[in-house]
């Protein structure tokens, strides 16, 4: 059968969790975790995003804000689920846990998750938005040009981000998380390159993907430089307020860019994608086969990859075709 034109995006995405991978396909998601006993546990559920079903979540530049919030929510939820397999069995419920459950009528865990998310966002804003602003302000007595000062603020922001990513990548637990991140990317790349989802094919696929959250964060940094360069106020307090208030705008623009990047492959897209994809070499590591097995379980729980290959690549899938030797294929970078 003649193959159809190559389709770049499968529409699925995910993230690494503790000893596992979460994959999401529209409203369905699956979390596959390698338990301490070596078995793979898979949970499949439905996630309805913020303002689910509302037209406002479909409006370009606005939808990115809701998507960002949803990504944080499902990310925190699935991380907590994967961590539950590795909790200390002797850990006891504290008085605070009991009091919170009583006050919230059994929703204590959800409240704590919400508080954790708010604190995490506040820390991120403080480190990557406010800190570069204050550091660049210290140079204002030496740099009189406002345009150059805005650029220096952006450069400082990117350097802090790179230093943070590089620093945590040295931690053993984070490195394993990055390996599962690599397994997630490899599975998606394997499918989108038209290859059957086997351990062999996944291991041969690239761990770098254009739609990665790492690339999204880089676009956030880049867009912030441009906005803060053109949107200027003289009052320091107003400058600080503008940087906080523009965060949803930056997220919305960055989301549209990452969508464009995931659906196109022209030279302009390749150029703007290059820095984020380079950064992914820090946030992803090569997984082993056991990690890939976990990622495959997560994909198969929410995505019909065989049907996808038939529809987009004209495959006539048989067991022999799925298991065929692909040694003649070139390994991706």
């Amino acid at each position: 059968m003649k193959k159809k034109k190559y389709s770049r995006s499968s529409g699925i995405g995910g993230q690494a969790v503790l000893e596992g991978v979460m994959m999401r396909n529209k409203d369905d998601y699956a979390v596959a975790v390698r338990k301490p006993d070596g078995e793979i546990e898979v949970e499949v559920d439905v996630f309805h995003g913020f303002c689910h079903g509302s037209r406002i979540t479909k409006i370009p530049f606005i939808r990115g804000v809701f998507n960002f919030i949803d990504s944080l929510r499902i990310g925190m939820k699935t991380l907590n689920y994967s961590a539950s397999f590795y909790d200390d069995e002797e850990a006891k419920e504290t008085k605070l846990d009991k009091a919170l459950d009583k006050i919230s009528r059994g929703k204590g865990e959800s409240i704590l998750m919400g508080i954790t998310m708010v604190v995490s966002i506040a820390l991120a804003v403080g480190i990557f938005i406010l800190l570069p602003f204050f550091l660049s302000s210290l140079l204002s007595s030496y740099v009189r040009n406002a345009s150059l000062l805005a650029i220096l603020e952006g450069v400082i922001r990117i350097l802090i981000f790179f230093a943070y990513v590089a620093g945590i990548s040295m931690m053993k637990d984070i490195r394993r998380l990055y390996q599962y991140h690599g397994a997630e990317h490899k599975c998606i790349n394997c499918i989108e390159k038209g290859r059957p989802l086997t351990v062999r094919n996944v291991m041969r696929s690239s761990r770098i993907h254009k739609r990665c959250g790492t690339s999204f964060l880089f676009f956030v940094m880049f867009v912030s430089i441009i906005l803060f360069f053109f949107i200027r106020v003289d009052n320091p307090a107003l400058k600080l307020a503008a940087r906080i208030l523009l965060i949803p705008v930056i997220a919305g623009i960055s989301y549209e860019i990452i969508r464009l990047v995931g659906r196109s492959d022209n030279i302009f897209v390749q150029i703007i994608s290059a820095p984020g994809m380079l950064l992914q070499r820090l946030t992803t590591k090569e997984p082993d086969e056991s990690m890939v097995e976990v990622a495959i379980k997560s994909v198969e729980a929410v995505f019909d990859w065989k049907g996808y290959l038939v529809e987009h690549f004209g495959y006539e899938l048989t067991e022999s075709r799925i298991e065929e030797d692909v040694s003649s294929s070139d390994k991706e970078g």
Side-chain angles (χ1 to χ4, degrees):
M1 182 183 294
K2 185 178 180 180
K3 293 185 181 181
K4 294 184 180 181
K5 187 177 179 180
Y6 175 72
S7 176
R8 177 154 300 272
S9 176
S10 61
I12 60 173
Q15 72 168 53
V17 296
L18 183 63
E19 294 300 324
V21 171
M22 181 275 288
M23 284 291 186
R24 186 179 179 187
N25 182 23
K26 298 179 181 178
D27 290 336
D28 298 323
Y29 75 91
V31 190
V33 179
R34 178 79 70 178
K35 297 190 296 183
D37 63 6
E39 295 295 318
I40 300 175
E41 181 79 13
V42 181
E43 180 183 74
V44 181
D45 205 345
V46 176
F47 179 81
H48 291 307
F50 193 66
C51 294
H52 176 72
S54 174
R55 291 183 179 180
I56 195 172
T57 60
K58 307 295 182 181
I59 301 175
F61 298 103
I62 295 179
R63 60 191 174 189
V65 179
F66 294 102
N67 184 272
F68 179 67
I69 295 173
D70 290 341
S71 296
L72 291 176
R73 288 175 60 208
I74 193 172
M76 190 69 67
K77 180 179 181 179
T78 53
L79 275 172
N80 286 341
Y81 171 76
S82 64
S84 68
F85 292 100
Y86 291 85
D87 285 343
D88 186 353
E89 294 180 357
E90 298 180 358
K92 296 181 179 179
E93 189 177 30
T94 65
K95 292 182 179 180
L96 176 61
D97 293 330
K98 293 178 180 178
L100 193 57
D101 276 335
K102 185 177 181 180
I103 295 172
S104 63
R105 297 181 180 179
K107 296 182 179 180
E109 185 176 348
S110 297
I111 292 176
L112 286 175
M113 186 173 70
I115 294 173
T116 301
M117 189 171 71
V118 171
V119 171
S120 299
I121 292 174
L123 285 174
V125 171
I127 295 172
F128 301 115
I129 299 295
L130 304 186
L131 180 59
F133 170 73
F134 285 119
L135 291 178
S136 63
S137 297
L138 297 176
L139 301 174
S140 59
S141 57
Y142 304 99
V143 181
R144 299 295 183 180
N145 187 294
S147 298
L148 180 57
L149 198 62
I151 294 173
L152 286 174
E153 179 187 345
V155 171
I156 292 172
R157 181 172 293 110
I158 291 176
L159 289 176
I160 290 175
F161 182 61
F162 268 82
Y164 170 79
V165 170
I168 65 172
S169 67
M170 297 179 184
M171 301 169 60
K172 182 179 178 181
D173 290 342
I174 297 298
R175 182 176 178 82
R176 284 193 65 82
L177 192 70
Y178 284 174
Q179 285 182 283
Y180 277 106
H181 190 193
E184 173 222 332
H185 282 189
K186 280 175 169 284
C187 281
I188 297 174
N189 279 323
C190 178
I191 295 168
E192 294 182 345
K193 289 292 185 181
R195 298 171 181 167
L197 194 64
T198 63
V199 172
R200 170 186 284 231
N201 286 340
V202 172
M203 289 295 291
R204 298 175 65 84
S205 298
S206 173
R207 73 175 197 266
I208 310 300
H209 198 279
K210 285 185 177 181
R211 297 197 313 272
C212 176
T214 303
S215 292
F216 170 78
L217 291 177
F218 183 84
F219 286 134
V220 166
M221 302 292 165
F222 180 73
V223 170
S224 69
I225 294 176
I226 296 176
L227 286 186
F228 298 155
F229 181 86
F230 288 104
I231 301 176
R232 301 180 190 176
V233 289
D234 294 328
N235 187 291
L238 290 178
K239 280 184 178 180
L240 191 59
R243 276 147 180 75
I244 296 175
L245 294 175
L246 283 172
I247 290 174
V249 178
I250 294 170
I253 295 173
S254 301
Y255 177 75
E256 298 305 321
I257 295 175
I258 202 73
R259 277 177 60 91
L260 172 65
V261 164
R263 296 171 181 272
S264 180
D265 198 31
N266 61 49
I267 186 65
F268 174 73
V269 166
Q270 291 182 34
I271 291 173
I272 65 173
S273 300
M277 295 181 74
L278 182 64
L279 185 60
Q280 286 181 49
R281 296 197 175 276
L282 288 177
T283 63
T284 63
K285 302 296 180 185
E286 287 295 331
D288 58 36
E289 292 189 356
S290 67
M291 294 174 174
V292 167
E293 289 174 356
V294 175
I296 289 176
K297 290 285 187 183
S298 185
V299 173
E300 292 183 330
V302 292
F303 186 74
D304 179 13
W305 62 265
K306 294 180 181 179
Y308 175 82
L309 294 186
V310 170
E311 178 182 355
H312 293 277
F313 294 90
Y315 271 62
E316 293 182 354
L317 287 173
T318 61
E319 287 302 316
S320 60
R321 180 66 185 272
I322 291 176
E323 300 297 333
E324 70 179 349
D325 185 10
V326 293
S327 60
S328 59
S329 301
D330 293 329
K331 185 176 181 179
E332 298 174 41

